[in-house]
C-alpha cells in the first residue's frame, strides 16, 4: 500500500475540543473549543517523533471551529487540501484534527467525495487540552500510528484507542472518552502501545467519483437537503413548512426522514412526504435506531438510505443532487 517515497505525514487542523481550553483546569464542560493551533497541539504530544519513525510532518491550519458549526466552506477547503496532499507521492497519509460533534459527517463526506487510497485519519478528543487528563495527545499519537500501519487506507476515525471506518463511525455518547462506535460492524482495529491490532480486514478501497470535486467547487450553495424525524404526533407540518420557507438557490431539494424502527413513518408525516415526493422533492428513509439499517420491502413508497444513518444519508443525497447538476 505504501511506497518507499512516501516520507511525509500531513496534519490538517480544524479545531474542536482537542484544541479547546477552559479558564479552570479540569473543567470539561464549560470550555471553548478550537482555541489552540494544530502546531501547539503537536507540541504537547510526547513521543511524536518516535511514532512517525523519521517521517517529516507538515502542518496546515485549515479552520478553527467548533465542529458543531461545520460549514460548506470548511468542507470544500478540507476536501481540496486532502485531495491535494493525497496526490503527492511524498505523502504517506493525512491526519485531520476535528471536533467530535460532526466528525462522522466529515468522515463520510471525505469518503464519498474522495475515496482516498491513502489513509486519511480523523483525530479528536472529548476533553479540552487544559483537562487534568486530556485525551487529545494520545488520540493524536494513535492517529499517527494508524497512518503508519502498512495496510491503512481510506477515511478512518480514531478515538480512545479504536479505529473506525467512515461508513460505520457514529458518536454515541456526549461525555465518555470512548464516545464513538461502529455499530454491529465493530471497530476495524484497536491501537495498543502504538501498534494496531486488526479486528477485521481493511475494507476494500472505494471507487472515487472524479466529477464530484468540480461540482462541489462550482455550485454554491450545495443542494439543500434537510432531516426530519418521525415521532409521536408527527403531523407533517414540518415538511410543508420546509417546502414553503426556502426559495431560489436555497430551495429545498431533498429530505431525509429518520423513521421509527424499520423506517416506519407516522401516517400523517408519510402523507406529507409522499406529497413532497410527488412535487419533485427527493425523499429518503433512514431510521432513528442507533444500530442496524432499514430493510426494504416491496411495498415501500419512499426509498431507503441503503444503510446510511440520517446525517450520512443527508450528505449522500446532497452529493447525488449535486452530481445530477
Ligand atoms: N463541540 C466540540 C466539537 O465538535 C465537541 C468535541 O470536539 O468533542 O468541536
Amino acid at each position: 500500500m505504501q511506497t518507499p517515497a512516501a516520507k511525509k505525514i500531513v496534519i490538517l487542523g480544524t479545531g474542536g475540543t482537542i484544541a479547546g481550553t477552559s479558564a479552570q483546569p479540569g473543567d470539561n464542560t464549560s470550555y471553548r473549543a478550537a482555541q489552540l493551533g494544530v502546531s501547539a497541539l503537536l507540541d504537547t504530544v510526547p513521543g511524536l517523533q518516535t511514532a512517525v519513525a523519521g517521517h517529516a510532518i507538515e502542518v496546515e491550519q485549515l479552520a478553527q471551529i467548533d465542529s458543531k458549526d461545520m460549514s460548506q466552506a470548511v468542507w470544500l477547503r478540507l476536501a481540496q487540501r486532502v485531495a491535494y496532499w493525497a496526490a503527492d507521492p511524498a505523502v504517506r497519509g493525512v491526519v485531520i484534527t476535528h471536533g467530535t460533534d460532526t466528525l462522522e459527517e466529515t468522515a463520510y463526506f471525505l469518503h464519498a467525495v474522495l475515496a482516498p487510497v491513502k489513509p486519511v485519519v480523523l483525530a479528536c478528543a472529548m476533553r479540552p487540552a487544559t483537562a487534568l487528563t486530556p485525551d487529545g495527545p494520545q488520540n493524536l499519537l494513535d492517529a499517527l500510528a494508524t497512518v503508519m500501519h502498512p495496510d491503512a487506507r481510506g477515511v478512518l476515525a480514531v478515538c480512545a484507542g479504536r479505529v473506525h471506518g467512515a461508513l460505520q463511525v457514529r458518536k454515541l455518547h456526549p461525555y465518555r472518552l470512548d464516545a464513538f462506535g461502529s455499530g454491529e460492524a465493530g471497530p476495524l482495529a484497536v491501537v495498543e502501545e502504538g501498534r494496531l491490532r486488526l479486528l477485521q480486514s481493511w475494507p476494500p478501497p472505494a471507487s472515487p467519483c472524479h466529477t464530484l470535486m468540480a461540482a462541489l467547487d462550482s455550485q454554491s450553495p450545495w443542494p439543500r437537503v434537510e432531516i426530519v424525524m418521525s415521532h409521536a404526533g408527527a403531523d407533517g407540518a414540518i415538511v410543508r413548512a420546509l417546502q414553503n420557507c426556502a426559495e431560489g438557490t436555497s430551495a429545498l431539494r431533498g429530505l431525509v426522514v429518520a423513521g421509527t424502527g424499520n423506517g416506519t413513518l407516522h401516517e400523517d408525516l408519510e402523507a406529507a412526504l409522499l406529497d413532497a415526493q410527488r412535487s419533485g422533492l427527493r425523499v429518503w428513509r433512514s431510521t432513528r435506531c442507533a444500530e442496524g439499517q432499514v430493510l426494504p420491502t416491496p411495498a415501500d413508497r419512499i426509498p431507503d438510505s441503503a444503510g446510511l444513518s440520517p446525517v450520512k444519508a443527508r450528505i449522500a443525497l446532497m452529493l447525488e443532487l449535486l452530481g445530477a447538476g
Side-chain angles (χ1 to χ4, degrees):
M1 186 64 42
Q2 298 290 351
T3 66
K7 284 288 175 205
K8 184 157 58 171
I9 295 172
V10 178
I11 305 185
L12 306 177
T14 70
T17 292
I18 192 169
T21 58
S22 60
Q24 299 294 326
D27 182 347
N28 294 324
T29 50
S30 306
Y31 63 89
R32 285 174 70 93
Q35 300 300 302
L36 300 176
V38 64
S39 302
L41 290 187
L42 294 176
D43 290 343
T44 68
V45 182
L48 189 79
Q49 291 309 324
T50 313
V52 299
H55 286 64
I57 291 184
E58 175 114 14
V59 171
E60 275 185 11
Q61 188 76 45
L62 286 195
Q64 190 62 303
I65 60 166
D66 186 320
S67 83
K68 72 179 176 57
D69 303 321
M70 184 50 71
S71 65
Q72 173 178 325
V74 174
W75 268 359
L76 177 61
R77 177 118 180 94
L78 195 51
Q80 288 170 333
R81 294 311 287 163
V82 171
Y84 171 84
W85 286 116
D88 182 343
V91 171
R92 183 181 183 109
V94 178
V95 169
I96 301 168
T97 57
H98 197 288
T100 59
D101 287 342
T102 56
L103 180 142
E104 70 210 63
E105 295 175 58
T106 298
Y108 178 75
F109 171 75
L110 293 174
H111 164 82
V113 171
L114 302 175
V117 174
K118 291 182 184 176
V120 174
V121 184
L122 286 104
C124 60
M126 289 297 288
R127 301 281 179 272
T130 48
L132 295 180
T133 52
D135 52 331
Q138 184 67 56
N139 286 345
L140 258 174
L141 270 182
D142 290 349
L144 290 166
T146 304
V147 167
M148 292 299 294
H149 190 277
D151 298 328
R153 62 173 171 230
V155 181
L156 305 164
V158 171
C159 185
R162 301 202 295 168
V163 183
H164 303 276
L167 277 174
Q168 290 81 24
V169 67
R170 188 164 183 166
K171 188 172 179 181
L172 299 175
H173 202 282
Y175 184 74
R176 208 170 62 195
L177 296 186
D178 188 3
F180 289 87
S182 286
E184 294 161 326
L188 297 171
V190 289
V191 193
E192 296 163 332
E193 301 298 314
R195 284 175 189 274
L196 264 66
R197 178 163 56 87
L198 300 191
L199 301 178
Q200 45 188 301
S201 47
W202 289 104
S207 322
C209 173
H210 297 292
T211 54
L212 263 182
M213 272 303 291
L216 287 169
D217 203 8
S218 61
Q219 289 185 43
S220 190
W222 297 340
R224 176 189 281 262
V225 179
E226 299 286 349
I227 299 171
V228 298
M229 185 181 275
S230 190
H231 51 81
D235 64 1
I238 188 75
V239 174
R240 292 183 285 276
L242 280 168
Q243 283 179 282
N244 292 335
C245 76
E247 291 173 350
T249 52
S250 64
L252 189 67
R253 301 274 308 279
L255 277 173
V256 171
V257 57
T260 39
N262 194 31
T264 50
L265 304 171
H266 188 296
E267 57 187 352
D268 296 336
L269 176 63
E270 185 171 31
L273 289 167
L274 289 169
D275 277 349
Q277 199 171 240
R278 275 190 289 273
S279 76
L281 212 68
R282 296 288 302 281
V283 185
W284 284 4
R285 259 176 336 117
S286 182
T287 175
R288 306 185 337 186
C289 295
E291 296 206 2
Q293 64 181 71
V294 174
L295 299 177
T297 74
D300 288 344
R301 290 183 290 174
I302 297 175
D304 67 87
S305 65
L308 294 174
S309 67
V311 291
K312 291 180 184 177
R314 189 194 77 82
I315 297 165
L317 182 50
M318 185 266 290
L319 293 175
E320 195 171 301
L321 289 164
L322 192 86

